[in-house]
Amino acid sequence: MPMSPYPVLCYTPGCHSPALYKIAAKWSDGTTAELKTYGLACAACVPTLLDLAREKRAACRLAVGETLERPGVYDLTRGERDRVLARRPDLEPPLGAQ
């Protein structure tokens, strides 16, 4: 079934640009694995949303057996599953670089 054509917008308040990237981190409970989504971003808002995701990740408490990697930037590809999204380390500034 084709996806509906509604626009996917950046999560930054006041930004109405189309989202191009998913800010997410690989999560697993030892049995299941998926990307935990922190937000969707346009190119201009990636640094801001990535910083917020890193802060949220740092405050996250995990249960025994859970793993949650550091948030990163993934290409947002319409109609694709999370497991096939390409990670974009070239868009991920080092911690404290902003």
Side-chain angles (χ1 to χ4, degrees):
M1 182 170 178
M3 292 189 66
S4 59
Y6 67 87
V8 179
L9 301 179
C10 180
Y11 280 21
T12 301
C15 182
H16 303 289
S17 298
L20 301 174
Y21 304 102
K22 177 180 267 200
I23 309 299
K26 289 183 181 181
W27 169 88
S28 178
D29 65 359
T31 303
T32 304
E34 62 184 34
L35 280 180
K36 175 184 175 20
T37 303
Y38 288 94
L40 304 176
C42 67
C45 294
V46 164
T48 301
L49 290 178
L50 184 57
D51 278 348
L52 289 172
R54 288 173 172 173
E55 288 173 16
K56 287 180 182 179
R57 168 58 187 99
C60 185
R61 294 184 346 191
L62 301 175
V64 175
E66 278 186 304
T67 59
L68 182 59
E69 294 183 3
R70 191 170 148 215
V73 180
Y74 293 81
D75 284 326
L76 183 61
T77 307
R78 194 172 195 83
E80 292 292 340
R81 298 268 186 201
D82 283 351
R83 65 180 165 265
V84 300
L85 297 181
R87 187 154 182 178
R88 296 291 305 272
D90 56 308
L91 299 176
E92 299 173 19
L95 287 171
Q98 278 100 45

